[in-house]
Structure formats: C-alpha cells, structure tokens
Amino acid sequence: MQVVDNKYLVLKPENPQHVLNTIEKSAEYGDDGEVAVYWGLKEAQMLKQLGFECPSPIERDYSWPGMFTPMAHQKATASFMTLHPRSFCFNEQGTGKTASAIWASDYLLEKGFIKRVLVICPVSIMQAAWQADLFKFAVHRHVNVAHGDRKKRKAIIESPAEYVIINFDGVGVVEKEIAEGGFDLIIIDEANAYKNSRSERFKTMRRIMTPDTWLWMMTGTPAAQSPLDAYGLAKLCIPAKAPSMYVSYRDVVMHQLTRFKWVAKPNADVVVHKLLQPAIRFEKKDCMDLPDVTHTYRHVPLSPQQLKYYKQLKKEKLVEAAGEEISAVHAAASLNKLLQISCGAAYTDSGGVVEFDASAR
C-alpha cells in the first residue's frame, strides 16, 4: 500500500470490486487492478475491517502538541487507537501509553469525531498521572477531576470540561449523569478492574455505554492472574467476540482438577490472545528510544489511622499505638518518624515495629 499525493491510499486487493462496493470514497486506479481510497479516518477504519494494513491519517494531520516529542512507539499506539474505536492497549508500564491515548483522543476531538472524553482510573493516578499528563500533552483542553461527594462529581460532569477523570467506584455514584453527559470516548486505565463480568462495577459500565461509544481499555498485565480475567475485558469492550456465557468460556480455557481447583489448559494463552483483539503491545525492550530514567510522582492520601497518629506525633512528639510508645526527641527524629508513619510502619522505642493502615499507598 502506498500514499499518493498525501491524500489517497493505493492498494491492490484480490477482489477490487469488493473494496469499491464497501468504501464509497474509492475508485479504480490504473489498469493493474489497483484501487485508490480516500485517506480519511473512516475510510482507513473500513480498510482495517477488510483486513488491510493501513496508516491512520493522524500521521498526516496531527501536530503532536505538548512538552515532549512523541516516540515512534507512541505514535504507532496513537495511530492504532484512532483506527480501532473498541480496542485494547497492553503496552508495558513505563512506555508512555497515557500520552499516546491523550494524543489520539485530542486528534479525534480536533477533527470532530468525538465531543467528550471520560477517563476512568484508580484514585492514585487521577491527578498524578492523567491530569498531570493532560497538562503536559494537551494543555489547550479543559480538564477536570470528578472526585469527592456526589454533588461535586455531578457538577464536574455537567461542566463544559472536555476531559473528565473519575475513579472506578465513583462511576456508580453518578451513573445517570455520566450516561447523559455526552461522553463518546471512554478510556479505562488499569482495565483489570473490570475483569469480573458479574460485578456491579462491570454492570454499571455496560449500562452507560452505547453501541457507538468508543472504548479503549489499557493495562500492561492483561489476564495476569488467570485466563478467566480476559472474559470480562472482552465482554465489556467487544461483547460480540466473547462467549455468551462465562461458564462456556471457563470450560474452554480451564481444566477442573478438584471441586475447587482449576488450572489453565495448554492452549489457554492462544484463546486469550484471540479473544483480546484488536490490541497493541509494546514492551520496554522493544522501545529503544525510551529515556534512561522516568520519574513519576503520585499523591497518596493518608488513611484515617495514619492521619490521627501523624498529627499527634507532630504536635506532642509522642504517641502510643498497639501498646508501644513511639517518640521523637528532636527535629530530625520527628521527620524520620513522620515519614515512617506515612509509609505504613514505624519503629517503637523498644525496637519493635507498629504497622499502620497504608492501603491507599
């Protein structure tokens, strides 16, 4: 396939008439059975559905804004996403897939293919990763984080923000508002949160989405714990590809040893790979243009227990927890003990260790 005049894709299909009948903006090209197809996003998507490898017009039209120049694998990932309204991104952690999704969605907004984006992710990366990266790569977009009580979430969803970021369990709190919010692209980061097709979280997403909703599901570890994890992801993203019944899929990929013990069948990975398509994956070892070190900062709130003893130690220089005393005799010791409580465990004066609830961390 070649690009002609930066406007047409010229290919030589086995059945030229089928392409001509399927794609409106196409015509015969020359006398050798070639076909010229207008290089637009919808046309490129249709060529993909027909089984042709073709580039996305994002490679021609987009300026790739932001603080950093996109790496080759990031451009490839963004191109893939624009060509597949329902798809998976399994790029390894640290390869910059968040930036790829931002560029791809910004391109779709720019060209009018979508009007609004909903990002669903864990609380810990709502601001530190998604909001921060949107400021780096799409500073011209209106972004807001829907977190807090229901009233606050509702106001943010009903605001004119082009990107709304919300946590997994927050979706159910404002389900009605999201369904009516005009979100035609949903990006789910750490998509394994939806692996259980029987969970209320999964059912809520099924009610929110329409057949025309774009959905990109992102995780670096698909089906990491069991081949069964893939069923929920496929059922949510591309339900037509997943078996209608969970037990039917389980019997295909798992073998029952005892009443309660199941193990994966030898061909389970092949079944999972076929089920979770279309998908793209880059590993760090494949991305030779990655920087040597990438620094990521995340805000993690203290648990109520940590906060209680943190404030007490800061104020009184002495706390008693689990029958043990933790004291700080001078400023340096105080900073050290506060840091220990923040991390989830602190040394006591007797040399023992007291653990604190640090589940958010």
Side-chain angles (χ1 to χ4, degrees), residues 160-273:
E162 295 161 299
Y163 286 84
V164 174
I165 306 166
I166 192 168
N167 62 305
F168 298 127
D169 295 323
V171 174
V173 177
V174 282
E175 176 185 342
K176 179 176 179 292
E177 288 77 8
I178 291 175
E180 298 173 353
F183 295 102
D184 34 21
L185 167 59
I186 298 175
I187 303 173
I188 302 180
D189 199 358
E190 302 298 342
N192 284 335
Y194 289 90
K195 65 185 180 182
N196 184 357
S197 61
R198 293 162 289 183
S199 67
E200 187 57 37
R201 179 184 288 177
F202 180 96
K203 294 174 184 176
T204 299
M205 280 302 303
R206 286 290 296 271
R207 290 193 296 267
I208 288 173
M209 293 192 306
T210 71
D212 296 326
T213 304
W214 289 58
L215 177 63
W216 299 335
M217 302 188 75
M218 302 166 56
T219 174
T221 54
Q225 295 180 318
S226 165
L228 297 175
D229 296 350
Y231 180 79
L233 303 184
K235 195 70 175 176
L236 184 61
C237 190
I238 310 175
K241 292 193 66 175
S244 58
M245 301 295 291
Y246 171 80
V247 292
S248 301
Y249 173 75
R250 182 195 62 191
D251 293 341
V252 171
V253 297
M254 303 294 286
H255 177 69
Q256 187 174 13
L257 294 181
T258 66
R259 184 180 177 186
F260 300 106
K261 186 174 182 180
W262 296 72
V263 296
K265 291 183 177 180
N267 68 330
D269 55 342
V270 177
V271 177
V272 169
H273 181 270

Side-chain angles (χ1 to χ4, degrees), residues 5-298:
D5 296 335
N6 217 24
K7 190 175 181 181
Y8 300 100
L9 299 173
V10 176
L11 56 148
K12 189 176 182 180
E14 292 183 6
N15 188 347
Q17 197 59 46
H18 181 54
V19 176
L20 294 170
N21 293 339
T22 304
I23 303 177
E24 182 180 352
K25 294 183 178 181
S26 62
E28 295 180 0
Y29 187 84
D31 302 323
D32 198 23
E34 291 182 313
V35 175
V37 178
Y38 174 72
W39 191 15
L41 184 62
K42 290 184 177 180
E43 289 74 21
Q45 290 175 349
M46 294 177 74
L47 284 173
K48 273 286 188 181
Q49 293 172 8
L50 292 174
F52 295 98
E53 288 298 324
C54 62
S56 167
I58 191 176
E59 300 178 16
R60 174 194 62 195
D61 301 333
Y62 195 51
S63 60
W64 308 95
M67 297 171 58
F68 305 102
T69 301
M71 292 172 275
H73 71 278
Q74 288 179 305
K75 284 188 173 183
T77 301
S79 178
F80 172 86
M81 288 175 159
T82 61
L83 291 176
H84 299 91
R86 295 287 184 98
S87 58
F88 303 96
C89 176
F90 298 141
N91 290 2
E92 193 175 9
Q93 183 180 2
T95 55
K97 58 181 176 287
T98 303
S100 297
I102 291 172
W103 277 317
S105 58
D106 180 51
Y107 168 76
L108 295 176
L109 286 167
E110 182 182 290
K111 296 300 179 181
F113 292 104
I114 61 171
K115 296 182 176 64
R116 212 168 182 215
V117 183
L118 179 70
V119 177
I120 305 174
C121 63
V123 173
S124 59
I125 61 173
M126 291 171 67
Q127 294 175 313
W130 277 98
Q131 187 179 42
D133 282 356
L134 278 160
F135 287 153
K136 292 176 184 175
F137 303 110
V139 70
H140 54 288
R141 296 296 179 187
H142 186 178
V143 181
N144 216 330
V145 178
H147 193 243
D149 58 33
R150 187 184 185 284
K151 184 178 179 181
K152 181 179 178 182
R153 293 177 191 266
K154 181 176 182 293
I156 290 172
I157 290 169
E158 293 176 349
S159 73
E162 295 161 299
Y163 286 84
V164 174
I165 306 166
I166 192 168
N167 62 305
F168 298 127
D169 295 323
V171 174
V173 177
V174 282
E175 176 185 342
K176 179 176 179 292
E177 288 77 8
I178 291 175
E180 298 173 353
F183 295 102
D184 34 21
L185 167 59
I186 298 175
I187 303 173
I188 302 180
D189 199 358
E190 302 298 342
N192 284 335
Y194 289 90
K195 65 185 180 182
N196 184 357
S197 61
R198 293 162 289 183
S199 67
E200 187 57 37
R201 179 184 288 177
F202 180 96
K203 294 174 184 176
T204 299
M205 280 302 303
R206 286 290 296 271
R207 290 193 296 267
I208 288 173
M209 293 192 306
T210 71
D212 296 326
T213 304
W214 289 58
L215 177 63
W216 299 335
M217 302 188 75
M218 302 166 56
T219 174
T221 54
Q225 295 180 318
S226 165
L228 297 175
D229 296 350
Y231 180 79
L233 303 184
K235 195 70 175 176
L236 184 61
C237 190
I238 310 175
K241 292 193 66 175
S244 58
M245 301 295 291
Y246 171 80
V247 292
S248 301
Y249 173 75
R250 182 195 62 191
D251 293 341
V252 171
V253 297
M254 303 294 286
H255 177 69
Q256 187 174 13
L257 294 181
T258 66
R259 184 180 177 186
F260 300 106
K261 186 174 182 180
W262 296 72
V263 296
K265 291 183 177 180
N267 68 330
D269 55 342
V270 177
V271 177
V272 169
H273 181 270
K274 185 177 180 180
L275 184 67
L276 298 180
Q277 296 294 329
I280 189 169
R281 176 172 172 81
F282 283 100
E283 297 181 3
K284 287 182 180 178
K285 62 182 178 62
D286 302 323
C287 308
M288 302 305 293
D289 51 352
L290 279 177
D292 294 334
V293 178
T294 300
H295 297 280
T296 301
Y297 300 91
R298 295 186 179 181

Side-chain angles (χ1 to χ4, degrees), residues 335-350:
L335 287 172
N336 190 38
K337 294 299 181 184
L338 291 174
L339 181 61
Q340 290 175 12
I341 292 175
S342 300
C343 292
Y347 286 111
T348 66
D349 293 354
S350 63

